[in-house]
Amino acid sequence: MSKLKNYFEEKIVPNIDKFTNARYVKIIMDGFMGVSALTIGGSIFMLIRSLPLGDWYTNFLTSTGLVDILNFPVMITSDLISLYLVIALGYFTAKSFSKNPFSGAMISLGALLLLTPFETTAILTDASGAEVSGIVNNVLPVSSFGATGLFLAMIAGIAGARIYVWCLDKNIKIKMPASVPPNVSNMFETMIPAGLVFIIFMLIRTALSYTTYGTAQNLIYTLLQQPLTNVGGGFWGFVIYTLIGHILWLFGVHGTMVTYAAMAPIYNAMAMANLSAFAAGTACPYPEWNFLCYTLIGGVGSTLALNLLMLTRAKSSQFKTLGKLTIATSLFNINEPIMFGSPVIMNINLAIPFIACPMVNLFLSSLVTRIGLVAAPTGAAINTFMPFGFYQSLNNGSWTGVVWAIALVAIDLIIYYPFFKRQDSINLKNEIQLSEQEVVNE
């Protein structure tokens, strides 16, 4: 274990740090985190709509029209998420190069809109009730700005702002005297870079109009986003996401952050597709990507079971004290005190259950959901720091969520127990030896 630790710290960790600190990785992470508050804020209204209070509550919302009102905040977040993302990425790209972030954000937004078709197919109903479909011009299709437009928003957001930065670095700008106020000077400095960005993206738009794809949205979604989500966006994609994150945690690396940085486009595409389905009242298309409520019971490693064993079965003072101090935070899925206090990190005795519990929880949750024993996730974006039970119930809008969570804790207790018992015995032995040594020294 010591040799493995040294190898990991000397060979692996530096490369991981290099990756997570790479400029464009940080820009993408900051961009997605910057818009996450919007999606969570919108989901609050959906949580109100999906409270597991029975049919009477659902009928009440429907009959009063409140269901449509509660749907609207989600629609303007999930269905327009690409617009928010392109602004955030343009902002953080310009900021990363110490340029005006607001100008970067506006130029990136313009770049995305230049690639967006100003027409859509609409279905109209006449007075007789007959439906007629046709092309409507001079409109922005909402479908271009939802989950299917995330990858294009990433490209336009970073590329548009990056061209703006390049122009300023090469002094391709209108220079104003020092006496001119900064806001006026910045306006003139932005004119040429913005014009160049718009020309480039207009040429791309025109060129694509002569291809079979027609638009940049169709091109990027067909050639890039759809293949990547097909490979990494299903059940096994989430398995890999979960497994790698937990393995990295064992070596003291914030594995959740690393895997999010690597898979942020896929992760957020799945999350937005789920959220859009939630708003539309349809089935969650990627349910496994909403199974964090089952793999993070108590935090990474599903350590609530370990915490409960410390409270009820520990013989060593270390585990008894740690169990009392951490139970409150564990109920809110915050377990850093356990990770470093047990410790779980670099501890071969606890490594196996730390990885096994979330993986077992994931596979079993997928099974019981597919066969209908537990209600499937609704697709709502829920803060992972929601308390135990409440988190799982909100996730699937049903009492089956909390019942299944309790069942998983029982399973996790069985998995953790032999490894916990071994580590507790080691701790107790060390405490006895230390106590005896203190007596001898006195």
Side-chain angles (χ1 to χ4, degrees):
M1 192 67 179
S2 178
K3 291 181 179 180
L4 180 61
K5 176 183 178 181
N6 292 336
Y7 175 80
F8 197 88
E9 290 179 347
E10 294 174 6
K11 302 294 184 180
I12 306 299
V13 172
N15 290 325
I16 292 175
D17 289 340
K18 184 177 180 180
F19 169 75
T20 55
N21 290 318
R23 184 191 297 271
Y24 291 103
V25 172
K26 289 181 67 66
I27 288 172
I28 292 172
M29 289 177 60
D30 289 342
F32 276 113
M33 289 182 178
V35 302
S36 62
L38 286 169
T39 58
I40 294 175
S43 285
I44 291 175
F45 295 89
M46 284 298 95
L47 293 177
I48 297 174
R49 194 197 76 175
S50 60
L51 288 174
L53 299 178
D55 292 339
W56 72 268
Y57 183 67
T58 303
N59 295 334
F60 167 75
L61 293 179
T62 303
S63 61
T64 59
L66 287 175
V67 66
D68 295 326
I69 296 174
L70 294 173
N71 277 341
F72 190 70
V74 178
M75 292 173 62
I76 66 169
T77 53
S78 63
D79 291 351
L80 299 177
I81 190 64
S82 293
L83 280 178
Y84 304 126
L85 180 63
V86 74
I87 292 172
L89 290 175
Y91 181 94
F92 286 111
T93 299
K95 183 178 180 181
S96 176
F97 288 92
S98 301
K99 300 298 188 292
N100 188 294
F102 180 78
S103 296
M106 293 299 99
I107 290 174
S108 292
L109 175 61
L112 177 64
L113 293 177
L114 280 170
L115 297 177
T116 303
F118 276 61
E119 61 181 28
T120 189
T121 301
I123 299 176
L124 303 178
T125 304
D126 60 20
S128 64
E131 293 185 347
V132 179
S133 63
I135 301 296
V136 180
N137 295 311
N138 298 321
V139 296
L140 285 170
V142 173
S143 59
S144 295
F145 304 122
T148 58
L150 278 179
F151 277 59
L152 181 62
M154 290 174 57
I155 295 171
I158 294 175
R162 190 64 185 85
I163 296 172
Y164 158 70
V165 169
W166 178 83
C167 288
L168 296 185
D169 287 342
K170 299 298 182 181
N171 286 318
I172 304 175
K173 60 182 179 180
I174 299 175
K175 298 180 180 179
M176 302 299 291
S179 58
V180 176
N183 59 330
V184 177
S185 177
N186 179 67
M187 179 184 66
F188 281 96
E189 285 185 352
T190 304
M191 288 174 62
I192 293 179
L196 180 59
V197 170
F198 289 177
I199 290 172
I200 292 173
F201 279 79
M202 194 64 206
L203 290 173
I204 295 173
R205 177 194 180 103
T206 303
L208 288 175
S209 67
Y210 292 101
T211 68
T212 57
Y213 296 103
T215 66
Q217 279 81 4
N218 290 336
L219 175 70
I220 298 301
Y221 183 76
T222 303
L223 297 184
L224 182 61
Q225 182 168 340
Q226 190 174 42
L228 285 176
T229 53
N230 287 341
V231 173
F235 172 75
W236 291 106
F238 188 69
V239 169
I240 294 172
Y241 179 88
T242 303
L243 180 61
I244 293 177
H246 281 77
I247 291 174
L248 292 176
W249 262 111
L250 285 177
F251 293 92
V253 177
H254 198 304
T256 310
M257 188 64 69
V258 174
T259 51
Y260 179 81
M263 298 182 69
I266 293 176
Y267 179 94
N268 285 279
M270 303 300 98
M272 289 303 104
N274 286 345
L275 190 58
S276 296
F278 183 28
T282 57
C284 184
Y286 304 101
E288 289 83 5
W289 288 85
N290 272 51
F291 278 177
L292 285 173
C293 65
Y294 300 133
T295 61
L296 295 180
I297 298 178
V300 288
S302 299
T303 55
L304 179 59
L306 178 60
N307 205 150
L308 292 174
L309 288 172
M310 290 178 181
L311 275 175
T312 60
R313 309 297 294 178
K315 296 182 179 179
S316 65
S317 297
Q318 178 183 344
F319 273 2
K320 286 181 179 179
T321 303
L322 187 61
K324 295 176 183 178
L325 292 175
T326 59
I327 186 61
T329 57
S330 288
L331 291 173
F332 288 84
N333 307 313
I334 301 171
N335 68 342
E336 279 79 3
I338 287 182
M339 293 296 296
F340 295 97
S342 300
V344 174
I345 292 173
M346 296 305 301
N347 187 337
I348 191 64
N349 291 319
L350 297 177
I352 293 176
F354 179 79
I355 294 177
C357 283
M359 300 309 298
V360 169
N361 291 359
L362 173 56
F363 279 95
L364 290 180
S365 297
S366 179
L367 175 62
V368 297
T369 299
R370 290 178 185 274
I371 63 179
L373 288 179
V374 175
T378 60
I382 304 172
N383 193 299
T384 57
F385 299 128
M386 284 285 182
F388 173 76
F390 192 59
Y391 181 19
Q392 289 78 17
S393 182
L394 288 177
N395 182 67
N396 68 353
S398 169
W399 58 268
T400 58
V402 63
V403 172
W404 178 239
I406 294 172
L408 288 177
V409 172
I411 295 171
D412 293 343
L413 284 168
I414 296 173
I415 296 174
Y416 262 110
Y417 182 72
F419 302 95
F420 155 80
K421 187 175 181 181
R422 174 177 171 79
Q423 184 61 49
D424 188 44
S425 297
I426 293 174
N427 292 349
L428 182 60
K429 181 179 179 180
N430 291 338
E431 289 171 2
I432 292 174
Q433 289 177 347
L434 180 61
S435 178
E436 291 174 349
Q437 185 64 40
E438 290 176 349
V439 171
V440 171
N441 292 337
E442 291 178 357

